[in-house]
Every structure is written in structure tokens, then in C-alpha cells.
Amino acid sequence: DAGITQSPRHKVTETGTPVTLRCHQTENHRYMYWYRQDPGHGLRLIHYSYGVKDTDKGEVSDGYSVSRSKTEDFLLTLESATSSQTSVYFCAIRAQGGGETQYFGPGTRLLVL
Amino acid sequence: SQQGEEDPQALSIQEGENATMNCSYKTSINNLQWYRQNSGRGLVHLILIRSNEREKHSGRLRVTLDTSKKSSSLLITASRAADTASYFCATDADDYKLSFGAGTTVTVRA
């Protein structure tokens, strides 16, 4: 699992509340990614990071923000959760040393009521 | 928008049979990757094929790539119950991001 953990693993929240998901890696990888997975859509990129304090938007970034103040942590924040953000969220890292493959965390199931 | 699209969406086969799924994409790529996802788990990388390669093997997996048709196929030979999973293709356009398709769900019947 390339030393990737996500927390929490499950969360139920109410519409309008802020939510922060955490991705933690232990192997000093430069690139980190947040995806959401919904039935029929596969994985869609929300935001990614290419270094501390260096982040960029993916294809479905509206309603989400990210922060990376340390190499090992990449945070995803839903400023005001909506029901459309009910999903499974995956964090991934890009392998070091020239590899192009990504390694995924176990996922966080988020339900917004 | 998603780059890759898999076909079929779902596939049910008998143990021991081969499973073939296809992926089509829209723009030029650096490489194409296949991932597997078991129910409730994260994705696991299976195989990567570069744009200058036409075929690649890994154990019971065989991947082909036709850049002129912008398509790839994944063949799993002699399937086992443990191969039951969803399979995703992902394209890498050399910008450090992957674009995933919606996946093919494979069920292997005992």
C-alpha cells in the first residue's frame, strides 16, 4: 500500500458542515492526488500536489480545497458539504524514481445527509 | 473529462475462461495503465504499456496497445475466482496526472 493511510475511513456529516479528509504517506513521495469515485464515473481527479505548498486543480475541483504544509500530509477540505459530494474519496501517490504508476490509499467513504 | 472508456461495463465468465476488456481513449498518451479494484478497496496497479510498445505480458495478463486506433485491451487468461474485481484503464499524457475510465466489472463464476 506504499505506506498510505487515509482518515477517517468513514464519515457521516450534514449538509453545510465543513469536512476535512487526511492523506498521510510515509515514503516522502513528491506527488499526491485526491480522487473521488462514483458509480459509472470511475475515478475523477479533484486536486493534486507536486510538492509542499504546490497544488493544482483537477477536473472536479469545485467545492473542494486542499493544503499540503508537509510532504507527508495532503488534506482535502469540503468547505460546506453538499449531498452531491457523497462519494468514496481516494488518495494516491506517484511512485518516486521515475515510475509513472500511482499507489492508492484504502479510501474514505463520505455520506452527506 | 474522462480520457479512457472501458468496454464492456460488466463481464461474467466461468472459472478457467479468458476475460477480455477494452479501453478507448481520445488524445495522445505517454503510456496506458491498467488497475484492479477489489470490492471496497483501493486500486492496485497491474501493468503499464508505453506508447511505443504494442504488447506486454505479466503473468496471466496480456495488454495490447494500438495507438493508431487509440485503444487498448486487457486479457486475463485462465481466470480464477480471485480475479473477480473491477478493472480500470488509465491514460498518462505525460503531465503527471492519470485519467481513468469508468471500469469493467468482472465476475468469475466457480
Side-chain angles (χ1 to χ4, degrees):
Chain A
D1 62 359
I4 304 168
T5 57
Q6 292 185 231
S7 58
R9 293 293 314 280
H10 302 270
K11 187 168 181 68
V12 180
T13 191
E14 294 188 349
T15 298
T17 61
V19 176
T20 295
L21 309 182
R22 180 184 184 231
C23 177
H24 179 78
Q25 54 128 337
T26 59
E27 299 182 6
N28 208 35
H29 296 288
R30 179 182 172 193
Y31 288 86
M32 299 183 75
Y33 306 82
W34 276 109
Y35 295 90
R36 60 177 289 174
Q37 183 176 32
D38 305 289
H41 288 278
L43 271 73
R44 292 181 291 175
L45 181 65
I46 305 171
H47 281 279
Y48 68 103
S49 170
Y50 46 95
V52 173
K53 292 186 169 44
D54 292 323
T55 65
D56 205 350
K57 296 178 180 180
E59 63 175 302
V60 290
S61 59
D62 287 349
Y64 302 94
S65 63
V66 290
S67 65
R68 191 164 179 205
S69 58
K70 300 185 289 185
T71 299
E72 58 266 35
D73 289 325
F74 191 31
L75 305 180
L76 177 71
T77 297
L78 291 66
E79 301 291 346
S80 178
T82 67
S83 59
S84 64
Q85 293 176 312
T86 291
S87 189
V88 181
Y89 291 86
F90 287 98
C91 174
I93 60 91
R94 181 182 172 98
Q96 293 279 72
E100 297 109 322
T101 60
Q102 292 187 11
Y103 295 89
F104 286 79
T108 294
R109 290 187 174 273
L110 176 67
L111 175 61
V112 183
L113 299 174
Chain B
S1 63
Q2 287 175 277
Q3 162 86 300
E5 295 196 3
E6 289 93 342
D7 171 63
Q9 290 185 339
L11 184 58
S12 180
I13 56 174
Q14 202 76 28
E15 206 164 24
E17 293 180 339
N18 296 342
T20 300
M21 60 209 84
N22 303 295
C23 171
S24 60
Y25 58 93
K26 297 172 186 173
T27 63
S28 296
I29 60 171
N30 184 47
N31 65 70
L32 185 143
Q33 304 176 32
W34 286 91
Y35 288 78
R36 183 187 73 229
Q37 183 181 35
N38 292 95
S39 182
R41 307 289 293 273
L43 276 71
V44 174
H45 178 260
L46 294 176
I47 194 166
L48 179 154
I49 186 165
R50 301 190 184 283
S51 59
N52 61 353
E53 298 175 311
R54 292 297 167 257
E55 187 170 314
K56 202 161 182 181
H57 297 253
S58 177
R60 293 183 296 111
L61 305 180
R62 181 189 136 210
V63 170
T64 63
L65 179 64
D66 187 335
T67 53
S68 67
K69 294 181 179 178
K70 291 187 171 57
S71 68
S72 173
S73 68
L74 172 67
L75 168 67
I76 306 172
T77 60
S79 62
R80 306 166 182 169
D83 295 327
T84 293
S86 292
Y87 293 82
F88 296 87
C89 69
T91 52
D92 183 342
D94 205 21
D95 58 355
Y96 303 104
K97 296 182 288 186
L98 292 179
S99 181
F100 286 84
T104 293
T105 299
V106 175
T107 302
V108 181
R109 305 187 308 273

